[in-house]
Each structure stands twice: as C-alpha cells, then as structure tokens.
C-alpha cells in the first residue's frame, strides 16, 4: 500500500478571516487547500480569529457550503464563537489578577445570553497593532467580573490553539495562512505554544517592493516577519523562484515549495477574440496596460474584445481610457464575478498584467480550462507556472510586446489550439495530488524534526 499524501495528524488551517467575496484569491485558496487535504484523507479543520458576530460567521459558513468550498458548517471554527459557546479554555489559560494597567479602549465580546466573555483591546493608528501586549481581559462564567487576563492577541490565539491541541488525538500541525497571525504566534513576549504543535506558515504574496528584484526593499511587515521566520517548523512558498530569492538574502529558514493546485478537465467553448481578465481594478493589476494593448490588437483583429471581471476604484478611469482610445464598445467591465466559470466558459485568451503576485489562482484556472495565457514576466508565479506550457511571457511593462503576443495568438493558425492543449497537460501535472504530496513532505519534515521553538524563554 502506498504512503498517504499527508502524514497522520490533526491539521488546523488557520486564517485571520474567511469572508465570501473578500480578500480575492487568498480566501479561495485557503478553502480549497482544506478541501484538498480532506480529500487526501487528512483530519482537517479551518480556523479563523476575526471577532465578528456569530450570526455573520454562521451566514458565511452557510454560503461557503452552498458554493461547495466547505464540507459542513462545523468544519469552520472561529475563536470568538468558541469562546461564546464555552469559555472554559479561556479561563483556564488566563493569568491571575490584577489586570495590568493600559490606556486602550476595549470591546466587549458577549455570549448569546449577553454575558461578557472577554474584553479585547482596541488599538488604532498602529500597523503593528497585533503585536501589542495590551491585556485581553477574561471574565467569569456569569459575566459579572474579570477573573484574569492574557497578554495581547498572541496570548489569546495561543490559548485557543493549545486548547484545541489538548483535545486532539495524536500530533497537531497548524498551517498558518496569515502573516499577522503567524507573527504573534512566535513572538517573544507571548506564552509558548504547546510543545507538540508543529507550525507551518504559508505565503501568498510577493515579499519585495518596486522594482521587484530579488534584492529590492521590503515593507516593514515583511521585514519583521522574515526576521522571525526561523521560528516556524516550516515556511511554504508557492514557487521555487520566490523561495530562491528569499534564500539569497535570509538564512536559517526551514522552507519548502507547496504550489497552489491547478484544476483540470474543465470545459471551454471560446468566443474568438474574447480576451479576459479576472482581478480587482486597482493600480497593482495594471488593467490600463491591457486596455492600451487591445487598441493595438484591434488594428489586426477588429473583433477582439477585452472582458474584465472584477471591481475596484479604477473602474471609471478605465472606462474613460477605453473611450479615449476609441474602443469603449470593446472593453466590457463586468464588475464583481461571484461565478468566475461564466468568464472562463467563453474565454479565448487570458491576460495578466500585474506588477507582482504570489502565484495567481487565475493563471492556474486558465490552464485548467485550456485558455492560453499572455502574461508579463513578473515575480512571482507566471514563469514557474507556465514552464510546462500553456502561455507566453512578455517583458514586464512592455505594452507593445503584450499587444504583439495577443495578436499572434489570435491570428496564428493553430497557435491557440496548441497552447490550449499544452495548458491542459500542464494543469494535469500540477493538480491537487501534486500539491498535497508537496505539503505532505513539508509536514513529515516538521513532525520528524525538533521544533525550533523549545527552550525559548518569553520576555518578561
């Protein structure tokens, strides 16, 4: 009998929030990962830490089930919903009174009977709010008075994970999907995680700023996170290129490549000349470049159209640009697409013009549908993902080259069909099974190696 893709363990996939139609491809990728893990035979639960109302969380769970991205509502748990239901774990982890003095406002979290369960500090104007040690005040079972406190959000998150781990059978692997959450889990000043927990941390975005070279500057959040990344049992990069670039400037990180899986066997009946984009309308996506390229494409392919699925602050400016170029009727801004299959069903080509990505899901979806890709050669994702075929790369920011590639695919005899077949073959080689094998290897390594965290003493 062959070895299972994932080693036997309790898997907790931890995100900050999972809200329908929020956070773009990140949310979808997290939900799909959990489904793939369950399909591979793993015991897996999704966890979130956003302090929303339970009624809102229940609606979100129901919607994810309806969309087929969550097996059952109980597969998605929330820290504050758990505290509202039974806060025994919270009181057991609380440090004794008195609560340290602080100047922050607080937000009360109450249960269904309107009994206060805990008070959260409210920290405004600080991008590193999650690292604050402002106390989380824990109340008694009757909601009448405080009985203890936890040191900041890190102390709160750790108390929950430790309680979940204590109730699990066998080893526990936490797959953390959010940098802010991961950062507080290994912060010096927070109480230590249960020694049996292995903590894998995924990455979903480009870690450098413009000009996006390997040695380009990083923003403060990435710099701070990479400074403590050696405390994780494993860091999971989406592409070999990003892993290599990070390892050129940071040492000591246990890391693996675990790419997003590509779907396969999906149908597509293209409308000739229909070029599609699926992304938010923000400057980083550079949709204006695709609009300008379309104007050049239509000189040779007058029936070509650009169909953009997604919304955002640049929508009006893009419509004005299309009108100014005389192609207002050929640029269709469809707005938010709750069902992207409608876009893929008739797509002839897919174009990606972002300044940077992690590994865009839309690129993988294009290959799975047999829709050829034309993409800027950007970090990260396009070069690695298209290495097996299915698309063309053009120099980053070169609108003329973008237009030339689109024109060649729309006019070259048999070129589109050849790339479509290559894309489907590439997607089949990058399926969920391949992604789960990579994740399984990372989990085995973490479970078989000493944790980098034992012996570290929290700061007073």
């Amino acid at each position: 009998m062959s070895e299972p893709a994932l080693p036997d363990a309790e898997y907790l996939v931890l995100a900050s929030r999972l809200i329908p139609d929020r956070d773009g491809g990140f949310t979808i990728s997290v939900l799909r990962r959990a489904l793939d893990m369950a399909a591979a035979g793993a015991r897996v639960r999704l966890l979130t830490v956003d302090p929303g109302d339970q009624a809102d969380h229940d609606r979100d769970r129901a919607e994810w089930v309806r969309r087929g991205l969550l097996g059952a509502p109980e597969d998605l748990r929330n820290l504050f919903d758990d505290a509202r239901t039974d806060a025994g774990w919270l009181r057991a982890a609380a440090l004794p009174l008195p609560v340290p003095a602080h100047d922050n406002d607080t937000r009360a979290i109450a249960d269904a009977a309107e009994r206060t369960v805990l008070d959260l500090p409210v920290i405004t104007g600080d991008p590193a709010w999650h690292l604050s040690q402002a106390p989380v005040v824990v109340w008694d079972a009757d909601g009448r008075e405080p009985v203890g406190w936890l040191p900041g959000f890190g102390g709160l998150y750790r108390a929950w994970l430790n309680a979940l781990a204590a109730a699990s059978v066998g080893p526990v692997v936490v797959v953390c999907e959010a940098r802010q959450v991961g950062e507080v889990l290994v912060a010096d000043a927070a109480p230590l995680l249960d020694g049996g927990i292995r903590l894998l941390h995924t990455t979903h975005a480009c870690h450098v700023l413009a000009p996006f070279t390997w040695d380009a500057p990083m923003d403060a959040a990435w710099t701070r996170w990479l400074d403590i990344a050696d405390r994780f049992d494993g860091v999971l990069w989406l592409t070999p290129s990003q892993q290599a670039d990070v390892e050129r400037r940071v040492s000591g990180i246990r890391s693996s490549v675990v790419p997003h899986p590509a779907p396969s066997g999906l149908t597509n009946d293209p409308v000739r000349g229909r070029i599609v984009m699926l992304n938010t309308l923000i400057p980083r996506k550079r949709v204006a470049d695709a609009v300008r390229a379309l104007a050049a494409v239509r000189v040779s392919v007058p029936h070509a159209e650009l169909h953009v699925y997604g919304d955002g602050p640049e929508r009006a400016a893009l419509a004005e640009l299309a009108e100014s170029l005389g192609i207002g009727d050929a640029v269709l801004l469809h707005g938010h697409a709750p069902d992207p299959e409608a876009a893929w069903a008739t797509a002839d080509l897919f174009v990606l013009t972002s300044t940077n990505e992690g590994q865009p899901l839309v690129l993988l979806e294009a290959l799975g549908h047999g829709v050829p890709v034309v993409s800027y050669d950007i970090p990260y994702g396009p070069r690695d993902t298209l290495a097996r075929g299915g698309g063309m790369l053009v120099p980053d920011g070169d609108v003329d080259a973008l237009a030339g590639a689109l024109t060649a695919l729309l006019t070259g005899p048999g070129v589109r069909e050849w790339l479509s077949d290559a894309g489907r073959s590439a997607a089949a080689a990058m399926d969920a099974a391949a992604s789960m094998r990579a994740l399984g290897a990372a989990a085995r390594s973490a479970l078989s190696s000493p944790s980098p965290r034992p012996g570290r003493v929290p700061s007073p």
Side-chain angles (χ1 to χ4, degrees):
M1 181 179 295
S2 62
E3 184 179 46
L6 297 169
D8 184 45
E10 184 85 18
Y11 291 89
L12 306 176
V13 180
L14 174 62
S16 53
R17 64 186 184 188
L18 294 169
I19 301 174
D21 305 319
R22 294 283 295 272
D23 304 319
F26 163 80
T27 300
I28 302 302
S29 70
V30 172
L31 290 160
R32 287 181 180 171
R33 190 196 302 275
L35 287 176
D36 290 340
M37 293 170 70
R43 294 173 285 134
V44 57
R45 281 179 288 176
L46 283 158
L47 308 177
T48 60
V49 295
D50 66 294
D53 294 333
Q54 183 155 352
D56 292 335
H57 293 153
D58 288 341
R59 281 193 294 271
D60 293 343
R61 294 181 183 102
E63 178 61 14
W64 289 131
V65 171
R66 186 191 71 80
R67 296 188 190 186
L69 289 168
L70 184 67
E74 57 268 24
D75 294 338
L76 173 56
R77 293 175 65 169
N78 173 268
L79 183 156
F80 296 94
D81 293 350
D82 276 11
R84 292 178 180 107
T85 301
D86 181 2
W89 59 271
L90 194 60
R91 291 188 286 273
L95 300 175
L97 297 173
V99 176
H102 64 96
D103 296 327
N104 298 287
D105 292 334
T106 60
R107 172 186 172 186
I109 302 295
D111 63 15
E114 299 186 356
R115 294 173 298 207
T116 299
V117 176
L118 58 89
D119 287 331
L120 279 180
V122 176
I123 301 165
T124 59
D126 182 0
W129 59 269
H130 55 295
L131 296 174
S132 169
Q133 293 298 295
V136 175
V137 181
V138 180
W139 288 59
D140 66 15
D142 296 322
R144 294 178 178 175
E145 60 183 4
V147 293
W149 62 283
L150 292 168
F153 296 93
L156 177 61
Y157 298 167
R158 286 164 178 269
W160 188 42
L161 290 179
N162 285 337
L164 293 174
S168 298
V169 177
V172 174
V173 177
V174 174
V175 182
C176 184
E177 303 276 6
R179 284 205 315 271
Q180 286 183 330
V181 177
E183 192 175 358
V184 299
L185 291 179
V186 297
D188 282 322
L192 295 174
L193 277 173
D194 182 285
I197 292 176
R198 291 296 181 265
L199 182 57
L200 300 178
H201 202 303
T202 66
T203 56
H204 289 267
C206 178
H207 63 286
V208 290
L209 302 173
F212 306 109
T213 55
W214 75 269
D215 56 350
M218 296 184 291
D219 66 25
W222 268 108
T223 300
R224 193 173 57 234
W225 184 86
L226 283 170
D227 283 344
I228 50 87
D230 60 348
R231 300 177 188 173
F232 300 117
D233 296 279
V235 172
L236 311 182
W237 302 103
L238 290 169
T239 65
S241 295
Q242 189 171 16
Q243 181 193 41
D245 281 357
V246 170
E247 290 180 350
R248 293 175 73 178
R249 63 195 297 175
V250 180
S251 62
I253 299 175
R254 306 178 184 185
S255 71
S256 306
V257 176
V258 181
H260 291 317
S264 59
L266 302 176
T267 59
N268 168 253
D269 185 15
V271 174
R272 294 306 180 191
R274 180 168 293 185
I275 304 165
V276 303
M277 303 183 79
L278 293 91
N279 51 242
T280 51
L281 307 184
I282 57 176
R284 184 171 68 85
K285 300 297 184 177
R286 291 191 292 195
V287 178
D289 282 18
V291 174
R292 294 186 179 96
L294 180 70
V297 169
R298 281 172 63 87
V299 174
S300 301
V301 189
H303 63 280
E305 295 179 339
L306 179 64
H307 289 249
V308 183
Y309 296 84
D311 215 338
E314 292 206 323
R315 182 168 184 166
L318 290 168
E320 291 179 9
L321 174 62
E323 288 293 341
S324 71
L325 295 171
I327 55 171
D329 60 337
V331 176
L332 291 89
L333 303 174
H334 293 275
H336 173 66
D339 180 15
E341 287 302 311
W344 295 122
T346 56
D348 198 11
L349 302 177
F350 169 72
V351 63
L352 182 72
T353 53
S354 304
T355 61
N356 67 92
E357 294 284 353
Q359 186 195 26
L361 288 179
V362 285
L363 199 157
L364 293 160
E365 290 168 355
L367 298 182
H369 286 86
V371 178
V373 173
V374 177
S375 173
Y376 281 155
D377 189 3
I378 60 165
Y380 291 96
R383 177 167 291 274
D384 294 275
T385 304
L386 297 177
R388 294 181 174 90
M392 297 175 62
L393 294 174
V394 300
D396 183 18
D398 191 333
V399 175
D400 291 339
L402 186 69
L406 292 168
T407 301
L409 266 62
L410 292 172
T411 59
V415 176
R416 196 266 179 201
E417 290 71 20
W418 174 69
L419 283 175
S420 176
D421 291 342
R424 290 184 186 278
S425 296
M430 298 185 287
D431 62 1
S435 180
M436 290 299 101
R437 286 193 296 270
L439 178 59
R444 283 188 180 87
S445 177
L447 289 166
S448 63
S449 303
S451 173
R453 294 181 303 279
R456 188 169 51 81
V457 179
S459 301

